[in-house]
């Protein structure tokens, strides 16, 4: 990564962690070690929009995540957190960008518009936040314990994963299994960059201690098997973990002398956006290895 990109990576992290404060362009220019006369032009050259507009979109992104996945939060509180003085101005801005009012988005989000807005920004952000070589010394080998889970399997376009996540959150709430008491996992059956959208498969699950009933959400009992795993921690959006995952296969595995076990890659979500700033979200990535291990109940 070039020195300039590293400096602007720090700028993005600073924006992420300061969304609730005033926009301080001179301070951001200082983080980039750039003259205030040139900082805004360089930011726009990298991202295609000004720093104020970028920050506004991030605040609306957090608001959209809160509307969709934190239904206990009042819309007025979300509006104030997004920097709007009243619900009316927030609603106008949200509908202008996403074609739905906040209440309509909370009820039935149109994820296609969401992805058209944020995927280009995510891809640009990934150039700064993930353009790094894997630190092979950070990879650990552990014995993962057998873990019964409740599993909702998403099949179809990766863009519709959030709709499946909402169904799973509804099931978790109904079954008193919040993330604070029940570890959250995802099973990465397919690479979203190479799988056909209609064939894409993604597992959403959480640890469970006992039996549970059949349900309308389609959540089933499954098992993450015991066995050896290489594990590395990823910071930031899970969407940007693919570079870390590819480096595990490309850089770490050939040097390790290890062989892969016949079970999909899976992750444990340790902290989540929007509860923490996006770049501070923490995910452990598990690569199943041969050795002592068992077959998981995943079909």
């Amino acid at each position: 990564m070039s020195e300039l990109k590293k400096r602007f990576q720090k700028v993005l992290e600073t924006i992420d962690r300061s969304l609730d404060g005033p926009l301080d362009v001179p301070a951001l220019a200082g983080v980039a070690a750039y003259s205030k006369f040139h900082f805004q032009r360089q930011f726009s050259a990298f991202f295609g929009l000004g720093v104020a507009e970028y920050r506004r979109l991030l605040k609306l992104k957090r608001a959209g995540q809160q509307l969709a996945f934190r239904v206990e939060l009042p819309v007025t509180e979300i509006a104030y957190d997004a920097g709007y003085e009243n619900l009316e101005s927030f609603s106008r801005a949200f509908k202008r960008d996403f074609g739905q009012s906040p209440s309509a988005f909370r009820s039935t989000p149109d994820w296609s518009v969401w992805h058209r807005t944020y995927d280009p920004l995510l891809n640009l952000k990934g150039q700064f936040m993930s353009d790094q070589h894997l630190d092979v010394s950070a990879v650990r080998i552990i014995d993962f314990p057998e873990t019964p889970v409740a599993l909702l399997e998403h099949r179809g376009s990766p863009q519709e994963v959030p709709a499946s996540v909402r169904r799973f959150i509804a099931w978790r709430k109904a079954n008193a299994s919040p993330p604070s008491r029940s570890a959250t996992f995802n099973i990465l059956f397919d690479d979203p960059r190479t799988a056909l959208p209609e064939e894409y498969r993604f597992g959403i699950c959480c640890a469970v201690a006992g039996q549970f009933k059949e349900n309308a959400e389609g959540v089933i009992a499954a098992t993450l098997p015991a066995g050896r795993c290489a594990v590395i921690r990823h910071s930031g959006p899970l969407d940007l973990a693919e570079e870390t995952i590819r480096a595990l296969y490309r850089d770490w595995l050939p040097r390790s002398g290890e062989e892969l076990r016949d079970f999909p890659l899976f992750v444990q979500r340790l902290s989540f956006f929007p509860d923490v700033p996006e770049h501070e979200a923490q995910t452990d990535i598990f690569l199943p290895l041969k050795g002592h291990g068992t077959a998981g109940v995943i079909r």
Side-chain angles (χ1 to χ4, degrees):
M1 180 186 295
S2 71
E3 181 61 31
L4 182 57
K5 280 193 171 184
K6 287 180 181 178
R7 280 152 41 193
F8 272 80
Q9 176 183 335
K10 292 180 181 178
V11 169
L12 297 182
E13 291 175 352
T14 302
I15 293 172
D16 276 354
R17 71 168 62 97
S18 61
L19 285 181
D20 294 319
L23 174 61
D24 190 341
V25 174
L28 292 174
V31 171
Y34 237 68
S35 164
K36 64 181 181 180
F37 301 108
H38 302 294
F39 169 72
Q40 295 243 47
R41 289 182 182 274
Q42 184 62 68
F43 191 97
S44 297
F46 276 144
F47 296 101
L49 70 172
V51 65
E53 177 64 5
Y54 175 83
R55 189 171 180 268
R56 185 188 75 83
L57 287 173
L58 285 192
K59 295 180 85 165
L60 279 183
K61 180 178 182 180
R62 183 178 66 179
Q65 294 276 346
Q66 290 170 329
L67 288 167
F69 302 121
R70 302 294 182 266
V71 295
E72 70 280 1
L73 289 177
V75 177
T76 50
E77 182 178 332
I78 294 172
Y80 295 143
D81 284 347
Y84 292 87
E85 295 182 355
N86 54 64
L87 184 57
E88 290 73 22
S89 58
F90 172 64
S91 296
R92 285 195 301 271
F94 196 90
K95 188 169 185 179
R96 182 178 64 246
D97 283 0
F98 300 109
Q100 293 181 283
S101 67
S103 57
F105 186 85
R106 168 163 276 180
S107 174
T108 53
D110 183 345
W111 294 111
S112 62
V113 176
W114 176 272
H115 282 285
R116 284 200 300 272
T117 301
Y118 285 111
D119 283 358
L121 278 184
L122 184 67
N123 292 335
L124 284 170
K125 193 172 184 178
Q127 295 177 19
F128 292 83
M129 310 299 280
S130 298
D131 186 18
Q132 304 177 56
H133 293 292
L134 177 71
D135 180 5
V136 294
S137 66
V139 181
R140 299 174 291 125
I141 296 180
I142 66 161
D143 289 316
F144 185 84
E146 181 174 279
T147 304
V149 295
L151 167 68
L152 176 63
E153 191 174 301
H154 171 87
R155 289 180 182 262
S157 171
Q159 292 195 356
E160 292 302 319
V161 166
S164 295
V165 171
R166 277 166 58 91
R167 285 168 49 207
F168 189 73
I169 289 174
W171 180 89
R172 290 186 83 161
K173 288 183 176 180
N175 287 269
S177 298
S180 59
R181 298 198 324 216
S182 175
T184 302
F185 297 93
N186 294 135
I187 303 173
L188 311 186
F189 294 102
D190 294 312
D191 183 341
R193 298 185 186 181
T194 59
L196 294 174
E198 63 272 17
E199 296 178 358
Y200 180 70
R201 190 178 175 202
F202 181 83
I204 309 159
C205 44
C206 66
V208 291
Q211 301 294 319
F212 55 89
K213 298 178 181 179
E214 291 187 9
N215 51 87
E217 289 83 3
V219 177
I220 63 171
T223 305
L224 297 177
R228 297 172 68 248
C229 290
V231 58
I232 188 167
R233 184 154 296 179
H234 169 76
S235 297
L238 185 59
D239 298 301
L240 297 183
E242 281 299 324
E243 292 302 322
T244 301
I245 291 170
R246 289 175 187 276
L248 268 176
Y249 285 100
R250 181 189 64 233
D251 302 330
W252 179 82
L253 187 62
R255 302 176 191 174
S256 70
E258 298 285 348
E259 294 186 35
L260 298 177
R261 183 157 36 105
D262 187 19
F263 190 80
L265 192 83
F266 64 97
V267 303
Q268 181 177 357
R269 308 290 291 273
L270 303 175
S271 58
F272 305 80
F273 174 77
D275 300 331
V276 300
E278 195 168 36
H279 77 281
E280 293 181 5
Q282 298 281 308
T283 304
D284 278 347
I285 301 169
F286 294 88
L287 187 65
L289 304 173
K290 283 187 177 178
H292 56 281
T294 58
V297 185
I298 302 289
R299 292 175 289 277

